[in-house]
């Protein structure tokens, strides 16, 4: 796919990604945005996205993101949904629906494609790697585009470590760092570095975690009261589930935080034996084989019970 062919006649282009945008979502959206502004200088290119976390302030153009949505839902000739299907776009979904041409680029196995043009590659490490692929004219790449896409790849591969890292991922990352930016610092500042409260709540979640199913599963939960006490937002809890997954002997890690009375956002991570995309899909969520999520209703204990049954099926399979 050459993305330029898809947009070359468009006067207005919109780009969005999923709610609670993670590094890959922000990186792919901003990488595509910076590229399209160069490739289509006469077109009006706009990004609509939930406000990214402060660590992404280093990405050029991030302050140009529209977080308050304009009213004319039919304003776009082409609209991109990145890193998820349209049902995860939140407020931006109506602009996708109203666009003349809808494009969906994603790497989630649970996404069957929701656009007129779909580029869904479940084997790809990240949507950012896919954006790198679809920029056919690599001469338009520059340091700022490279930085955005590199951040996305780093975040979705756990710094080029998770099993979704392929030779193509490393080749893309190698090309990207050749643009010359301080990648080591970028990784530290956007991925590893935590604020004091982020570390405090991580510690608390680890301390209160429960090992079950003969040590094959671990679960932890943070309720609203605790989030309010530490004054943390959902993005401050990123990374807790990965730390739980690092527990020796654990096949499946569960982390959840409360979003409402009897409602939790659940994150699942697997060490390979449990297909957590299947578990999450069973409860209306989705994701990848080793990293998936869903929003679930019930008490903490109800949710753990329901998840356990599905995880057990996966462990037997
Ligand atoms: P996380 O646990 O970090 O929120 O998400 C892990 C993976 O699962 C990500 O790729 C994310 O996009 C996907 N995911 C998380 N929650 C949901 C959900 O509610 N629905 C779908 N379809 N995917 C989700
Ligand atoms: Mn992704």
């Amino acid at each position: 796919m050459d993305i330029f062919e898809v947009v070359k006649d468009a006067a207005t282009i919109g780009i969005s990604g999923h709610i609670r945008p993670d590094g890959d979502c922000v990186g792919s959206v901003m990488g595509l945005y910076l590229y399209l502004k160069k490739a289509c200088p006469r077109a009006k290119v706009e990004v609509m996205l939930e406000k990214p976390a402060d660590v992404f302030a280093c990405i050029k153009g991030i302050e140009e993101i529209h977080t308050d949505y304009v009213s004319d839902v039919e304003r776009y000739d082409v609209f991109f949904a990145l890193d998820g299907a349209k049902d995860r776009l939140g407020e931006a979904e109506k602009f996708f629906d109203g666009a003349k041409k809808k494009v969906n680029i994603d790497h989630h196995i649970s996404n069957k494609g929701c656009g007129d043009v779909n580029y869904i590659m479940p084997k790809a490490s990240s949507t950012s790697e896919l954006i790198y692929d679809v920029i056919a004219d690599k001469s338009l790449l520059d340091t700022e585009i490279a930085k955005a896409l590199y951040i996305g790849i780093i975040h979705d591969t756990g710094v080029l470590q998770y099993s979704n890292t392929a030779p193509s991922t490393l080749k893309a990352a190698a090309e990207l760092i050749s643009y010359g930016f301080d990648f080591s610092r970028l990784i530290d500042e956007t991925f590893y570095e935590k604020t004091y409260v982020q570390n405090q709540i991580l510690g608390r979640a680890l301390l209160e975690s429960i090992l079950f199913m003969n040590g094959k599963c671990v679960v932890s939960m943070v309720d609203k009261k605790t989030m309010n006490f530490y004054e943390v937002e959902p993005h401050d809890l990123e990374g807790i589930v990965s730390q739980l997954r690092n527990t020796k002997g654990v096949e499946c890690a569960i982390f959840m935080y409360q979003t409402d009375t009897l409602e939790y956002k659940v994150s699942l991570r697997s060490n390979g034996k449990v297909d957590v995309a299947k578990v999450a899909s069973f409860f209306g969520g989705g994701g990848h084989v080793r990293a998936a999520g869903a929003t679930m209703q019930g008490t903490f204990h109800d949710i753990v019970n329901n998840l356990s049954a599905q995880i057990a099926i996966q462990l037997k399979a």
Side-chain angles (χ1 to χ4, degrees):
M1 181 196 233
D2 178 355
I3 205 67
F4 185 70
E5 290 302 315
V6 176
V7 297
K8 65 176 196 275
D9 300 322
T12 49
I13 304 170
I15 309 169
S16 189
H18 57 77
I19 49 167
R20 292 184 287 260
D22 58 9
D24 182 34
C25 179
V26 177
S28 59
V29 163
M30 293 308 295
L32 180 61
Y33 173 62
L34 295 172
Y35 161 75
L36 288 178
K37 283 214 300 183
K38 270 174 96 170
C40 315
R42 280 191 296 276
K44 192 169 174 55
V45 189
E46 293 176 340
V47 173
M48 285 183 189
L49 195 65
E50 222 177 84
K51 190 182 181 307
D54 294 343
V55 292
F56 301 118
C58 56
I59 298 175
K60 185 182 170 190
I62 199 102
E63 70 288 348
E64 291 162 27
I65 289 178
H66 296 261
T67 47
D68 49 334
Y69 301 107
V70 281
S71 56
D72 178 12
V73 296
E74 285 174 9
R75 65 199 260 110
Y76 296 108
D77 293 328
V78 181
F79 198 93
F80 288 89
L82 302 189
D83 204 34
K86 76 185 192 88
D87 60 322
R88 298 197 69 220
L89 290 177
E91 290 294 310
E93 184 178 355
K94 51 185 183 288
F95 294 90
F96 182 86
D97 288 338
K100 293 188 188 77
K101 194 194 276 181
K102 307 164 185 49
V103 187
N104 189 199
I105 302 178
D106 189 16
H107 68 129
H108 288 90
I109 195 162
S110 48
N111 182 2
K112 304 294 168 231
C114 61
D116 307 312
V117 180
N118 297 299
Y119 191 67
I120 315 291
M121 299 283 157
K123 288 217 168 75
S125 68
S126 52
T127 303
S128 299
E129 183 184 335
L130 294 178
I131 298 298
Y132 175 79
D133 288 345
V134 299
I135 298 178
D137 181 3
K138 298 281 193 274
S139 73
L140 283 174
L141 284 174
D142 59 34
T143 309
E144 298 302 329
I145 299 171
K147 250 168 81 176
L149 297 179
Y150 187 76
I151 288 176
I153 292 174
I154 286 304
H155 278 245
D156 258 24
T157 59
V159 194
L160 306 172
Q161 188 214 340
Y162 300 158
S163 58
N164 60 358
T165 307
S168 63
T169 319
L170 296 175
K171 279 178 196 151
E175 279 297 314
L176 293 172
I177 64 168
S178 76
Y179 284 88
F181 51 88
D182 190 344
F183 61 86
S184 180
R185 196 169 131 208
L186 202 62
I187 293 169
D188 261 338
E189 289 180 354
T190 71
F191 190 80
Y192 289 117
E193 200 173 276
K194 301 283 172 203
T195 63
Y196 181 63
V197 283
Q198 284 169 349
N199 271 336
Q200 276 193 308
I201 203 149
L202 164 70
R204 179 151 172 171
L206 297 180
L207 196 68
E208 292 180 353
S209 66
I210 303 164
L211 204 58
F212 65 110
M213 285 170 84
N214 283 325
K216 292 211 161 18
C217 285
V218 65
V219 63
S220 192
M221 182 269 279
V222 171
D223 62 14
K224 262 209 155 134
K225 223 173 73 196
T226 309
M227 289 178 72
N228 291 340
F229 176 79
Y230 288 101
E231 296 181 350
V232 291
E233 307 275 333
H235 71 80
D236 293 309
L237 309 173
E238 249 182 57
I240 294 179
V241 70
S242 317
Q243 194 56 47
L244 290 169
R245 193 240 309 261
N246 287 339
T247 315
K248 194 172 167 68
V250 160
E251 292 297 340
C252 184
I254 307 167
F255 175 72
M256 59 181 104
Y257 65 85
Q258 193 180 9
T259 46
D260 213 330
T261 315
L262 298 180
E263 187 186 273
Y264 294 83
K265 174 70 181 65
V266 178
S267 283
L268 301 166
R269 295 293 184 274
S270 158
N271 279 321
K273 281 200 189 128
V274 176
D275 181 342
V276 289
K278 282 197 182 140
V279 176
S281 298
F282 186 86
F283 298 105
H288 311 285
V289 173
R290 287 176 180 241
T295 297
M296 293 177 68
Q297 271 76 33
T299 65
F300 170 70
H301 289 98
D302 290 336
I303 293 171
V304 174
N305 272 333
N306 291 336
L307 284 167
S308 300
Q310 293 306 312
I311 292 167
I313 292 171
Q314 291 296 314
L315 273 171
K316 281 198 197 98

